[in-house]
Amino acid sequence: MTLAMLEGPSNVVWAHFDPDAQRIVGASWDGTARIWDARSPYQRWRSAPVGDFCGLVRSLVPDGRFVAVRCDRHRSYVWDTAHDRLLAELPEPTATDHDFASALPAVSATGDRAAAARYRTAVIYELPGGRPLRTIAHGAVVNAVAFASTGHDVISGAVDGTVLVTRDGGEPIALPAFAAGIDAVGFLADGRPVAAAGRQLRIYDVERRTVLAEFALSARVGTLRSSPDGHRLVTVSRFNDTATPPVLWDIEHYRSVAPLVGHVGIVWAGRFVRDGREILTTGSDGTVRSWDAVSGRLLHIYRGSPRFLADATVSPDDAMIVAASGDGQVYFWDASNERPLWTLPAHQPHVVGVHFEGSDLVTRGFAGDVARWMLPKPDLDALSGLLRELSE
């Protein structure tokens, strides 16, 4: 895709980038040399990098307006991506045993609360500002915390297998504990808590403090992703379970639907799109795969990245698939026919999160930097026609 026409000179002799690729220098037969700004005209704002290792590539939930960035040996940062606003700096995440991942910070849907694990507690903070509001105590190191999709209900889990649900202003409610340490926790859209530990997955009834359903897992889970209506759930395995595909669950009837088999290697992310009708998954094989959210049937494969793809979403008009790549680029495909459209240089070394905020694209980098882009509306028919001509 053409970014800009560098107009002015006649009969250019040569042109090249400066060492940082921030400027283009050119000379021409008319006796002039010119310098152009090579930075993307689409970038609206970008935050400064934080560190060298920020949240690996997975996020607690698919990136949205409020993004919590966790970096090793650094404080965590909470951003409002709609307004380029840093809401809070939270304390450095607590390290856990090597067999468990440290808890990712969580943000409430309205962006007025954050939760972070601090040793044997989950601390709730006020946003903006980061003032501590309350502390939820466990008997062991807390390594998982999440907010409900509405309100301020919090679920937290610890390495001793305990699970607590804490409602706004209420005392923590202890749910039946696991024999193994917690790997992931969350809420379904209707408020039912869900947790995974070892090779077990449970759905809870908070009022009765009982287990509604329990499933056997083929591998330990890294993330839990619920559909907007709460009827479906996708479990994505941890990084070291490279041969285990995501699994689609029917939570309405408490049954497994199908494993989402197809990726080669690690699956990094999965999310429901198109109002929950489809699922997008990304993996180390450099592909985005689209699945039917009812049956688990494979619908599309989008190829093009030479590196892993960490995250993917759909444009607001449903026309494009957009993915975050390990080569620092954002990739765009025509959603209807799987044709690659263009790439956008975004972060170094990796892009690890993407989401749309209105019509703008927001990206998250491996170094903890967040950027917002104002994209042009492409003529997909013209682009597809050009690609066909070039391929012929």
Side-chain angles (χ1 to χ4, degrees):
M1 180 182 182
T2 301
L3 294 181
M5 297 294 293
L6 308 181
E7 302 194 12
S10 58
N11 300 320
V12 174
V13 178
W14 55 258
H16 66 82
F17 288 93
D18 73 350
D20 296 323
Q22 298 298 303
R23 293 179 175 86
I24 299 169
V25 182
S28 67
W29 282 110
D30 61 10
T32 64
R34 285 176 169 81
I35 300 175
W36 293 274
D37 187 350
R39 290 168 295 186
S40 172
Y42 305 137
Q43 182 176 302
R44 299 188 64 178
W45 59 265
R46 179 190 295 271
S47 67
V50 178
D52 297 327
F53 196 82
C54 297
L56 201 55
V57 295
R58 283 181 174 161
S59 59
L60 182 65
V61 295
D63 282 350
R65 172 179 171 178
F66 304 102
V67 174
V69 177
R70 186 202 72 176
C71 301
D72 285 1
R73 301 179 298 279
H74 292 277
R75 297 168 70 83
S76 296
Y77 295 82
V78 182
W79 288 93
D80 179 351
T81 63
H83 300 293
D84 181 19
R85 184 184 182 192
L86 179 63
L87 297 178
E89 296 183 23
L90 306 181
E92 178 183 348
T94 302
T96 60
D97 182 85
H98 70 277
D99 199 34
F100 294 95
S102 299
L104 293 168
V107 185
S108 64
T110 54
D112 61 345
R113 295 285 189 277
R118 296 291 293 161
Y119 303 102
R120 296 188 174 195
T121 67
V123 183
I124 310 301
Y125 299 91
E126 181 182 52
L127 296 178
R131 179 174 65 91
L133 295 177
R134 69 174 302 176
T135 298
I136 302 166
H138 281 258
V141 173
V142 175
N143 67 316
V145 61
F147 278 99
S149 58
T150 59
H152 297 142
D153 287 1
V154 175
I155 183 171
S156 52
V159 297
D160 62 355
T162 56
V163 181
L164 300 179
V165 169
T166 306
R167 290 180 169 156
D168 200 17
E171 292 300 311
I173 300 171
L175 300 178
F178 289 86
I182 301 299
D183 289 316
V185 296
F187 287 94
L188 301 175
D190 59 8
R192 285 174 292 172
V194 56
R199 298 201 172 190
Q200 288 181 304
L201 175 69
R202 286 178 179 172
I203 312 295
Y204 289 102
D205 182 326
V206 178
E207 303 301 331
R208 295 181 174 84
R209 306 189 185 195
T210 58
V211 177
L212 290 172
E214 183 170 293
F215 309 98
L217 299 169
S218 57
R220 292 174 64 180
V221 164
T223 52
L224 304 164
R225 298 286 166 84
S226 173
S227 63
D229 61 6
H231 295 165
R232 290 288 190 271
L233 179 75
V234 169
T235 55
V236 181
S237 65
R238 303 195 314 165
F239 300 136
N240 52 346
D241 294 312
T242 59
T244 306
V247 178
L248 175 62
W249 305 87
D250 179 350
I251 304 303
E252 189 177 16
H253 301 99
Y254 299 124
R255 65 183 181 89
S256 169
V257 176
L260 306 181
V261 179
H263 285 283
V264 178
I266 298 173
V267 174
W268 293 116
R271 76 161 78 191
F272 288 87
V273 296
R274 304 185 195 279
D275 296 324
R277 301 189 304 275
E278 293 181 23
I279 302 161
L280 293 182
T281 58
T282 61
S284 58
D285 57 2
T287 68
V288 180
R289 294 172 187 256
S290 171
W291 314 82
D292 179 82
V294 174
S295 65
R297 178 175 60 89
L298 180 63
L299 301 175
H300 297 282
I301 303 176
Y302 304 93
R303 309 176 189 272
S305 173
R307 300 288 301 279
F308 67 85
L309 293 177
D311 192 17
T313 189
V314 178
S315 61
D317 60 3
D318 286 342
M320 294 185 296
I321 301 296
V322 184
S325 175
D327 64 359
Q329 311 274 336
V330 177
Y331 284 76
F332 298 80
W333 291 267
D334 186 323
S336 64
N337 57 30
E338 305 173 7
R339 286 184 178 274
L341 296 176
W342 72 82
T343 61
L344 174 70
H347 299 271
Q348 288 299 326
H350 317 307
V351 188
V352 297
V354 290
H355 78 273
F356 278 90
E357 185 60 38
S359 59
D360 288 355
L361 179 70
V362 178
T363 57
R364 180 167 53 90
F366 187 76
D369 49 332
V370 179
R372 180 165 175 150
W373 314 83
M374 183 173 60
L375 300 179
K377 186 173 179 60
D379 184 339
L380 298 186
D381 292 335
L383 285 170
S384 295
L386 176 60
L387 288 170
R388 281 193 297 272
E389 291 176 10
L390 292 174
S391 64
E392 293 170 357

